């Protein structure tokens, strides 16, 4: 028969184990509540940082239910006013960098294998394009082109040779090279967008539309009708662009008429009206000219 003292000892050990288990459960629940509160505070601070609206330190205090008792040595540490000011400055700098990236459409980041990625996200005609990525690796003073996802219309490798082939210090040529790539990319996207919009806007009026050589040689015909004498004039327009240009090259605009016996005054008047193609997008130029 078991000793009565041993029975009491076993009962006490079992009771103590149950108490410890219940305490452990309460501690886990408390830690979970504290974790949720800290994650919520972290999200709030991050959102305020991104928006540039940092609040006072008291705003980010943890709820009383999850704070440790005041008599404990591990007390909550809140950021000082100086630290909050530093966070405000970081947020403002981040906003400026985001605005710069939005305006210029170019950002850079460190990729794998010590590569630097230049990401192009241009806005053309109010619409975003991209991302297009250009990868480079820098070895001492040399910039090595590793690859890209830019359109074929952007002469990336030709530009790389132009800026870096004979340069001793590639660091001085990097910014001009990136600007030139961005300019060529935007120009191509703009020309293509203008061609697409012109064909969509005047699908019934535009004839013989052609856009060759990466949209650097554009030609089309448009019919004009005189409601008074029922005459019809077909105007043929052709123009060429530089590969990094969004508007036609100077003096490249060619205008012809059918029938060719149009009066000299009408021809001169129409040619003068067509000069708007040098300064306006294709669709707006057609509307303005005719």
């Amino acid at each position: 028969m078991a000793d009565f003292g041993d029975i009491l000892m076993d009962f006490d050990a079992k009771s103590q184990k149950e108490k410890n288990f219940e305490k452990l459960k309460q501690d886990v629940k408390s830690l979970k509540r504290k974790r949720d509160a800290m994650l919520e505070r972290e999200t709030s601070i991050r959102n305020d940082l991104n928006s540039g609206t940092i609040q006072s330190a008291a705003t980010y205090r943890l709820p009383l239910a999850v704070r440790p008792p005041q008599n404990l040595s591990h007390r909550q540490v809140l950021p000082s006013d100086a630290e909050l000011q530093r966070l405000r400055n970081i947020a403002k700098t981040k906003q400026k960098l985001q605005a710069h990236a939005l305006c210029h459409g170019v950002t850079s980041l460190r990729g794998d294998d010590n590569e630097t990625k230049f990401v192009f996200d241009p806005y053309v005609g109010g619409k975003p394009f991209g991302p297009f990525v250009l990868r480079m690796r820098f070895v001492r003073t040399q910039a090595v082109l590793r690859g890209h996802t830019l359109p074929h219309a952007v002469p990336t490798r030709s530009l790389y040779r132009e800026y870096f082939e004979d340069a001793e210090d590639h660091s001085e040529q990097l910014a001009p090279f990136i600007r030139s790539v961005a300019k060529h990319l935007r120009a191509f996207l703009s020309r293509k967008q203008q061609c697409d919009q012109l064909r969509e806007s005047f699908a019934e009026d535009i004839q013989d539309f052609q856009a060759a050589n990466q949209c650097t040689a554009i030609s089309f015909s448009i019919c004009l009708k005189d409601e008074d004498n029922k005459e019809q004039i077909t105007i043929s327009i052709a123009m060429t662009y530089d590969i990094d240009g969004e508007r036609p090259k100077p003096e490249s605009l060619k205008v012809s008429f059918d029938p060719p016996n149009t009066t000299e005054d009408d021809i001169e008047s129409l040619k003068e009206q067509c000069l708007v193609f040098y300064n306006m997008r294709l669709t707006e130029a057609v509307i303005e000219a005719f």
Side-chain angles (χ1 to χ4, degrees), residues 104-120:
H104 295 273
V106 183
T107 53
S108 65
L109 54 93
R110 180 61 61 88
D112 300 330
D113 299 328
N114 292 324
E115 289 183 348
T116 299
K117 294 182 178 179
F118 295 91
V119 184
F120 300 83

Side-chain angles (χ1 to χ4, degrees), residues 237-250:
I237 298 175
M239 64 199 87
T240 58
Y241 295 71
D242 288 321
I243 195 170
D244 63 346
E246 299 183 48
R247 299 290 182 267
K249 292 190 292 186

Side-chain angles (χ1 to χ4, degrees), residues 113-232:
D113 299 328
N114 292 324
E115 289 183 348
T116 299
K117 294 182 178 179
F118 295 91
V119 184
F120 300 83
D121 297 279
Y123 270 74
V124 182
K127 294 183 179 181
F129 291 84
F132 303 97
V133 179
L134 184 147
R135 297 181 292 109
M136 302 188 75
R137 178 184 289 177
F138 298 94
V139 182
R140 295 188 181 89
T141 61
Q142 303 297 307
V144 180
L145 180 62
R146 300 284 292 174
H148 64 86
T149 61
L150 294 159
H152 294 298
V154 180
T156 309
R157 297 196 178 277
S158 297
L159 291 173
Y160 175 80
R161 289 192 295 269
E162 176 185 342
Y163 282 92
F164 294 110
E165 194 170 64
D166 299 325
E168 295 182 359
D169 188 354
H170 286 192
S171 61
E172 297 179 356
Q173 299 297 321
L174 180 60
F177 168 68
I178 295 298
R179 284 196 295 266
S180 183
V181 170
K183 183 178 180 181
H184 281 77
L185 174 62
R186 177 182 174 82
F188 166 69
L189 295 174
S190 176
R191 294 193 304 269
K192 187 176 184 302
Q193 184 187 62
Q194 291 179 62
C195 291
D196 294 340
Q197 289 177 346
L198 181 64
R199 283 182 288 194
E200 292 174 5
S201 301
F202 299 97
E204 298 180 358
D205 302 308
I206 296 293
Q207 301 175 357
D208 303 324
F209 185 92
Q210 294 184 3
N213 299 330
Q214 313 296 350
C215 298
T216 58
I218 299 173
S219 62
F220 59 89
S221 299
I222 186 168
C223 295
L224 302 180
K225 296 180 180 179
D226 191 332
E227 298 296 337
D228 295 332
N229 53 25
K230 306 301 182 181
E231 290 184 355
Q232 178 175 299

Side-chain angles (χ1 to χ4, degrees), residues 47-95:
N47 292 337
D48 289 348
L49 275 173
N50 290 332
S51 62
T53 56
I54 297 297
Q55 307 297 323
S56 63
T59 308
Y60 305 109
R61 288 197 181 109
L62 292 173
L64 289 174
V66 298
R67 293 187 203 171
Q70 294 296 320
N71 59 348
L72 295 181
S73 59
H74 299 289
R75 302 180 65 180
Q76 180 182 357
V77 179
L78 295 175
S80 64
D81 291 338
E83 290 174 330
L84 286 175
Q85 183 60 42
R86 184 175 64 85
L87 292 176
R88 291 191 187 98
N89 294 336
I90 292 174
K92 290 179 180 178
T93 302
K94 183 176 180 180
Q95 286 183 323

